[in-house]
Amino acid sequence: MRIAMIGTGYVGLVSGACFSEFGVSVTCVDKDAGKIERLTRGDIPIYEPGLDQLVASNAAAGRLSFTTDLKAALLGADAAFIAVGTPSRRGDGHADLSYVFAAAGEIAEALASIPGDRTVVVTKSTVPVGTGRQVERILREALPPGRFDVASNPEFLREGSAIADFMRPDRVVIGTENEHARTVLRGLYRPLFLRETPIVFTSLESAELIKYAANAFLATKITFINEIADLCEAVGADVQDIARGIGLDGRIGNKFLHAGPGFGGSCFPKDCEALVRSAELVETPLSIVETVLRVNEARKSGMAGRIIAACGGNVAGKTLAVLGLTFKPNTDDMRDSPSLAILPELVRAGATIRAFDPEGMSEAKRLMPGLDYCDDAYAAMDGADGLILITEWNEFRALDLARVRHLLRQPVVIDLRNIYQPDEMMAAGLAYHSIGRPASGRAAGQPGGERITVKPASLRAIG
Ligand SMILES: NC(=O)c1ccc[n+]([C@@H]2O[C@H](COP(=O)([O-])OP(=O)(O)OC[C@H]3O[C@@H](n4cnc5c(N)ncnc54)[C@H](O)[C@@H]3O)[C@@H](O)[C@H]2O)c1
């Protein structure tokens, strides 16, 4: 089988490479000529573990190629996937569908000018309910009936584990009323059928909504545990015990119960926002998702205040080391990362930031040019008045704590991902602050640094 993948970003490139690994002949198309030029030379423009080898081996086998020429890519294609961006529309939070509609128009025009049988146009981008019908309308204006079919095939891969997610998904969702489209998509996902991956066939509308409902639910779960973490801090409980205690309940599940600085990334914030906006249009408000967005924004913007408090109430003139800038580990994606909400706030409060991230620094330098960027984690800490862990990259999970203690001018560690144990930090002479766990007070071994039991606010209030 042969497909064209339109949009060669995080989703299009991974999906295209994975389909080619399934044995499909894939042509990835992008408007960005620089990106296509790099890919043609085997240079992968994004960081995604394993993607370079997957692209190299399939390109070498002749199953995966890259072009800016849409018409050439569509010649003989059984399907054309739209995998372009759907960012938040500036000003109103609706999904900006201009890239999707532009791609649909270009596909229509290209298909009209080449001979061909029947092409299934599949929307893989995350799009609000009704978008598939509009794509269908755009195609109908340029093409005769029987020349095209439409389908929705939302993507659930996660950056950082995108290849495994695509190759072994929990499910594949295919929305279409058309038998030919169903047959083509079943054929493309054949290796997953053989592995008994559940394939959920639905209408176009349901497939579109499944994607938003999934992301909104996951964002809700994160926000829930974040609020429980705040409660834990107030009453002296440990959010990790709570997460384990509730996560073992099969009805709840243990995923997405990690308290932190608030969700970010290229999907959850903008997808929740778009879902809320599209629900408003049909006068069916989604008050839970609205609240999740509000609580999450407040959390992200309040994080700098927490950090300042942990640094003694003032960071003016202080130098803070920051480890992790991307919205999660194993990606270079900085879109809507909590670091973008936290660090400018600390700079405004007078702090100098010395930052390190294994993959996110070139984009971070563009977005936050006012920070000092360091070559590694320890260089960032050298002489700093505190260390902030924002993203839980594996290489930050096993820092040499004696070296950390030695390098920091003030032994304060603020861990927004709970990747260390309070006791080990205390033993290393570090004053450790984490999320939703009892604070460790000042570091043992420091002047006046005997263990201080912090009385929960509520208990203080009742004496
Ligand atoms: N990133 C994720 O983890 C993820 C996961 C699931 C779903 N999604 C959804 O998938 C879609 C794509 O996301 P992404 O992160 O891959 O975006 P991206 O910004 O990384 O990539 C989009 C690509 O499309 C290209 N493009 C735009 N218009 C084009 C056109 N007319 N023709 C050819 N190329 C065009 C851009 O140049 C860019 O390279 C979005 O709707 C997103 O919500 C993303």
Side-chain angles (χ1 to χ4, degrees):
M1 297 182 81
R2 180 179 290 277
I3 63 168
M5 185 65 66
I6 292 108
T8 309
Y10 287 87
V11 164
L13 182 55
V14 171
S15 308
C18 289
F19 274 129
S20 68
E21 181 72 9
F22 290 168
V24 176
S25 176
V26 180
T27 309
C28 288
V29 187
D30 207 286
K31 278 226 170 307
D32 182 340
K35 201 176 254 191
I36 293 299
E37 193 268 323
R38 285 180 68 177
L39 284 162
T40 308
R41 295 191 261 117
D43 178 13
I44 308 297
I46 57 169
Y47 176 74
E48 179 61 45
L51 189 57
D52 44 0
Q53 295 99 310
L54 192 71
V55 168
S57 62
N58 284 289
R63 287 191 297 266
L64 179 62
S65 60
F66 303 96
T67 184
T68 54
D69 184 349
L70 177 62
K71 214 194 270 189
L74 288 173
L75 261 180
D78 297 289
F81 284 79
I82 300 176
V84 300
T86 48
S88 258
R89 196 161 70 188
R90 204 177 284 272
D92 65 9
H94 279 281
D96 178 352
L97 295 173
S98 57
Y99 302 98
V100 171
F101 294 146
E106 290 156 16
I107 293 169
E109 196 185 319
L111 287 179
S113 68
I114 54 177
D117 194 9
R118 201 172 174 147
T119 308
V120 185
V121 178
V122 189
T123 305
K124 198 166 242 325
S125 299
T126 303
V127 293
V129 176
T131 306
R133 297 281 170 219
Q134 287 178 268
V135 167
E136 189 172 31
R137 208 167 304 136
I138 291 170
L139 293 162
R140 206 184 303 128
E141 279 168 16
L143 299 168
R147 181 72 171 83
F148 73 94
D149 300 299
V150 293
S152 163
N153 172 221
E155 184 49 58
F156 298 94
L157 62 76
R158 294 162 300 175
E159 290 173 17
S161 53
I163 295 171
D165 287 348
F166 193 95
M167 298 282 198
R168 296 186 178 277
D170 291 333
R171 80 309 207 178
V172 171
V173 173
I174 295 173
T176 183
E177 286 87 33
N178 181 276
E179 196 46 49
H180 174 71
R182 222 172 276 148
T183 306
V184 168
L185 282 157
R186 202 183 276 123
L188 290 169
Y189 282 109
R190 191 178 136 76
L192 300 186
F193 270 94
L194 298 179
R195 270 187 219 144
E196 297 186 358
T197 303
I199 313 280
V200 182
F201 287 104
T202 70
S203 67
L204 214 47
E205 285 76 11
S206 297
E208 290 170 337
L209 193 50
I210 284 170
K211 174 64 191 176
Y212 279 105
N215 275 0
F217 190 86
L218 293 171
T220 303
K221 212 171 165 188
I222 295 173
T223 305
F224 175 82
I225 201 68
N226 282 341
E227 282 205 320
I228 293 292
D230 289 349
L231 181 59
C232 285
E233 284 172 21
V235 299
D238 183 329
V239 73
Q240 288 187 306
D241 290 340
I242 310 297
R244 184 166 153 72
I246 64 172
L248 285 167
D249 185 326
R251 293 168 302 177
I252 295 173
N254 61 5
K255 304 272 170 60
F256 279 73
L257 287 179
H258 301 289
F263 62 78
S266 64
C267 293
F268 287 180
K270 65 125 176 132
D271 290 348
C272 288
E273 188 79 43
L275 179 61
V276 164
R277 295 284 92 81
S278 52
E280 278 171 3
L281 285 181
V282 290
E283 292 171 14
T284 315
L286 294 178
S287 54
I288 292 175
V289 188
E290 284 170 24
T291 305
V292 163
L293 278 168
R294 188 170 42 74
V295 169
N296 192 60
E297 274 316 301
R299 184 168 192 85
K300 283 200 280 191
S301 54
M303 271 301 134
R306 283 185 184 225
I307 291 166
I308 294 168
C311 292
N314 187 1
V315 291
K318 290 187 177 172
T319 298
L320 299 174
V322 169
L323 300 187
L325 298 167
T326 51
F327 84 95
K328 66 170 169 178
N330 292 323
T331 181
D332 57 353
D333 200 342
M334 287 290 300
R335 287 178 283 185
D336 248 317
S337 174
S339 67
L340 296 171
I342 297 168
L343 301 181
E345 200 57 44
L346 294 176
V347 170
R348 266 193 291 280
T352 297
I353 303 292
R354 292 169 57 79
F356 171 71
D357 186 281
E359 295 292 338
M361 289 207 290
S362 63
E363 183 61 6
K365 282 177 189 169
R366 202 179 63 76
L367 296 167
M368 294 184 286
L371 313 188
D372 294 342
Y373 292 91
C374 301
D375 291 338
D376 65 53
Y378 296 107
M381 289 174 220
D382 198 358
D385 298 298
L387 166 63
I388 310 163
L389 281 155
I390 299 188
T391 316
E392 67 278 32
W393 286 85
N394 271 344
E395 67 177 84
F396 302 151
R397 289 178 182 272
L399 293 170
D400 174 346
L401 297 182
R403 197 171 164 200
V404 173
R405 172 68 195 90
H406 175 75
L407 287 171
L408 289 177
R409 195 160 52 192
Q410 299 295 327
V412 178
V413 176
I414 301 145
D415 175 2
L416 304 185
R417 299 293 179 174
N418 288 353
I419 58 178
Y420 285 95
Q421 291 306 322
D423 285 352
E424 63 180 332
M425 299 304 261
M426 172 92 68
L430 295 160
Y432 181 65
H433 304 262
S434 58
I435 302 283
R437 298 189 294 181
S440 66
R442 271 177 291 167
Q446 289 310 296
E450 68 289 351
R451 183 170 187 144
I452 295 169
T453 308
V454 180
K455 246 191 181 182
S458 57
L459 303 186
R460 274 203 302 274
I462 54 172

